[in-house]
Amino acid sequence: MNNLVSLCNSTMKLPSRVLTLRNASVVEFRHLYNTPCDQKLTFKSKASFSFNQNSQFHAFPSPFLAFQGVINNTQKLICLTSSSFGVHSTVSRPYGVPVEASAVETDKNPERLCVKNCNNAKPQEDENIVGGEVPGAEYGNSRASLESEIDKEAWSLLRDAVVTYCGFPVGTVASNDPGDKHPLNYDQVFIRDFVPSALAFLLGGEGEIVRNFLLHTLQLQSTEKTVDCYSPGQGLMPVSFKVRTVPLGDNKFEEVIDPDFGGSAIGRVAPVDSGLWWIILLRAYGKISGDYTLQEREDFQTGIKMILNLCLADGFDMFPSLLVTDGSCMIDRKMGVHSHPLEIQALTYAALRCSREMLTVNECSKNLMTAINNRLSALSFHIREYYWVDLKKTNEIYRYKTEEYSMDATNKFNIYPEQIPPWLIDWIPEDGGYLIGNLQPAHMDFRFFTLGNLWSLISSLATPKQNEAILKLIEAKWDDIVGHMPLKICYPALENEEWRIVTGSDPKNTPWSFHNGGSWPALLWQFTLACIKMGKIELAQKAVGLAEKKLSVDRWPEYYDTPSGKFVGKQSRIYQTWAIAGFLTSRMMLEKPDMASLLFWEEDNELLENCVCALTKGGRKICSRDVAKSQILV
C-alpha cells in the first residue's frame, strides 16, 4: 500500500475554500488536468492570482464550479448551473473560452464557499432558502392520481425541505419543523441524510438536485478546517453544510455555503462516513439517471481518489478494517462503537466496490486499483470470518482457548469466552445469524447493529448464506428488531451501569431511545433494498405497512422510543426529512424492483479467490486465512 503515497491526483487539493464573486477585476485559474502522472497536483497559491481589469477568466471544465458568473452593463451577477441533466443551463462555454466576470477573491472566512445572491433580493437573514419548484416535477405530477394521500403528503414535505443555492436545488435540510425554535444543525444539509432524498428524487425522475449536490459537495472537499489548529487529512468530506445569506452593505447580499467538518459537532468528531456515502451516491446517480459524465470527469476522479487515500492509507493498525473514533458515523455520540465498527466496514466495502466501477483505469490509477482489490479481498475475509456469529460460531467462542501464540491460533484476538452475553444464547435463532457490531483485541461487541448488517448484505460483504441468515434472524426476531416501527438501530440497548460507563450517562441515549436501541424510520429504505435483493418482498411490504400506519399520524418523527418502538422519541425532531424520504424511496423501490437492483451488488467470486499474500512478489509461506478459507468462501 506504500505506493498510494505517489498516486496520481490523489493528493490534489480541490478548491474547497472560497470563491466570492464581487465587482471590478478578474482572477485567472490554472487548468490542472493535463499534468503528467508523476507530478503532484496542487493549486496555485493565493499570491499567484492576477488581478487586473484586462485579465481573462479561464473556467474549469464546465460545470466544475456548478455555476458561472456573468456581469452585464449594470454589473448584476447572474449565477448559472451548466447541468447536462437538468434544463436550467442558459450559458454554456467550452473550456478556455474567456468569460467576462466580476472579481474573484478569497473571503476572510476560509470555511465558506461564497457567491453573491443571484437576484440581489433580500432573503431572510441567516436562513436556508427552502421550497420552490424542483425541476422535473412534471414526472411526479403525472403519477399523482396513483399516489395515496400519505405519498402526496410525503412528497409535499420533501419538496418543502429542499434547499436552494443561487436559485438551484442543492439538497434537503435534515428536519423542517416550523415550530422548532432551536434547530441546532438540523437546518443543515447532511451528506448522510440526503442519500434517501436523492434516491427518491432519482427514482422520481428528478436528477438535477442530486447532480447539483454532488457538484457542490465536491467543492467543499479537502478543506483545512481545524479543531484547535489541527488539520484533518485531505479528502475529508463535510458532515453537513448550510446555505446562508450575508449582508454586504448598500442593500446587497450574498449567499454562502458554510460547511461543518465536525468542528461544530457535538463531540467535535470528523465524519468518516460522509465520503463513503458520497461515493455510493455518485454511483447511484449514474446508474439510475444514466448520466455518467460526472463520475468520468477529472475533478470527480480526483475526489474519489482523495477519499480512498484516507481509507487505504497505511498505519499502525494490523487489521484490514478501517480504524475510526467513537461518534464518527450514523451513531454520532459516544456509544462504544469506536475502533472497527461494522457500519463503517460495510460502507467502506461498498464505497470500494463503487470506486472500482467508476475509476478510469490508466497508468495513473493502476496502483490504486490494485490496492482496492487487495483491500476488498482482505476485508471480505476478515468480516466474514471474525465478525460472524450464529449458534455454531457462538459455541466455538464458548470453547475458545486463550493466550494462544502462533500463526495457526484459533483465537487470534484473545477473546475470553466470558464475554458472551447471557441474552445472546437464547436470542439467536437456530437457522439465523448476524455480523457483530465490533471486534477489537480481547473484545467482541455482540450487539446487533441494523445498518451495518443491511449494508453487508447489500454490498455482498457477507456471503450468500450469511445474507440469508441475517434476514432469517430479522424475521425470527421481528418483535425485537422491528416492533411497531421499523427498525431498531441496534439491539439490545445498554442499560444500568453499562449505560453509565459506555455512554458517559448520556441523557439523550437512555435505554431504548435514540442511538441506544431506538427505532429509526430512516433505516426502512435500506431494509427494503436488502429484501428486494434476497427476494423477500413480503418482508419489506410488511415493514412499509407498519410505517405507513404511524409516520404521518406522528408527523414523521426522527426516531421512536421503548423496546417495541411504540412511542415517539422524547427528544425526536418531527418532519425529519430522511424519515420522509426513506418511506418514499421504499415505496418506489417496491414499485420498481428493477431500478432498485441497480443499487446492490452480487457476489464477486473472482475477488474472493484472491489472497493478498499470493499477490505480493515473494508471497508468504504461512497464511493464517488458509485454515478458515474453505468455510468462508460459500
Side-chain angles (χ1 to χ4, degrees), residues 20-29 49-57 69 71 75 77 99-106:
T20 307
L21 300 184
R22 307 190 191 267
N23 5 332
S25 53
V26 222
V27 62
E28 177 176 320
F29 284 90
F49 287 173
S50 174
F51 294 92
N52 60 70
Q53 294 288 346
N54 300 318
S55 298
Q56 293 179 341
F57 175 62
I71 299 296
Q75 291 195 345
L77 178 64
V99 179
E100 225 181 87
S102 61
V104 181
E105 62 185 15
T106 55

Side-chain angles (χ1 to χ4, degrees), residues 130-388:
V130 296
E133 189 68 24
V134 178
E138 63 276 0
Y139 180 93
N141 295 336
S142 67
R143 59 163 203 254
S145 60
L146 302 177
E147 294 176 344
S148 66
E149 289 302 315
I150 188 173
D151 290 330
K152 293 177 183 178
E153 178 192 2
W155 272 113
S156 176
L157 292 171
L158 182 60
R159 298 188 195 286
D160 288 342
V162 169
V163 174
T164 61
Y165 174 60
C166 218
F168 298 100
V170 293
T172 51
V173 292
S175 175
N176 196 27
D177 177 13
D180 190 355
K181 303 302 181 183
H182 303 284
L184 299 178
N185 57 355
Y186 281 82
D187 60 350
Q188 300 187 22
V189 180
F190 282 75
I191 288 185
R192 178 196 312 126
D193 294 28
F194 180 67
V195 172
S197 296
L199 293 178
F201 284 122
L202 286 171
L203 290 171
E206 305 173 26
E208 188 194 28
I209 184 174
V210 185
R211 183 183 177 93
N212 292 343
F213 172 86
L214 291 167
L215 284 160
H216 282 290
T217 47
L218 178 64
Q219 295 174 62
L220 301 176
Q221 186 188 29
S222 199
T223 181
E224 293 179 5
K225 176 74 175 181
T226 65
V227 177
D228 294 338
C229 302
Y230 183 81
S231 300
Q234 283 191 343
L236 185 69
M237 281 289 189
V239 63
S240 63
F241 66 84
K242 182 179 177 66
V243 177
R244 303 179 187 273
T245 57
V246 179
L248 296 176
D250 297 328
N251 203 31
K252 295 180 180 180
F253 295 83
E254 68 178 0
E255 287 187 346
V256 299
I257 293 182
D258 194 1
D260 179 17
F261 290 82
S264 302
I266 296 173
R268 301 303 189 266
V269 179
V272 175
D273 61 343
S274 291
L276 306 175
W277 281 117
W278 186 87
I279 290 177
I280 291 169
L281 180 58
L282 177 60
R283 173 188 180 267
Y285 171 77
K287 287 283 187 179
I288 297 177
S289 71
D291 176 16
Y292 294 95
T293 58
L294 283 189
Q295 60 187 248
E296 293 170 354
R297 284 170 33 164
E298 290 289 345
D299 50 337
F300 276 79
Q301 291 280 308
T302 299
I304 295 171
K305 292 173 185 176
M306 292 173 71
I307 296 171
L308 295 181
N309 211 26
L310 287 175
C311 297
L312 301 176
D314 288 331
F316 288 100
D317 195 23
M318 292 286 289
F319 299 175
S321 45
L322 196 61
L323 181 64
V324 298
T325 57
D326 219 347
S328 60
C329 52
M330 179 176 171
I331 298 179
D332 56 7
R333 295 167 78 99
K334 191 175 186 295
M335 277 291 295
V337 293
H338 58 283
S339 73
H340 306 88
L342 176 65
E343 174 187 330
I344 292 298
Q345 314 317 319
L347 290 174
T348 300
Y349 189 83
L352 290 174
R353 294 199 67 172
C354 290
S355 301
R356 195 171 62 159
E357 292 179 29
M358 295 188 294
L359 283 174
T360 302
V361 181
N362 51 36
E363 287 298 316
C364 294
S365 62
K366 65 179 182 180
N367 289 336
L368 180 57
M369 295 297 288
T370 299
I372 290 173
N373 286 325
N374 288 354
R375 181 61 65 88
L376 285 170
S377 175
L379 183 59
S380 62
F381 175 82
H382 185 81
I383 298 298
R384 293 174 176 200
E385 170 67 3
Y386 304 123
Y387 277 61
W388 181 254

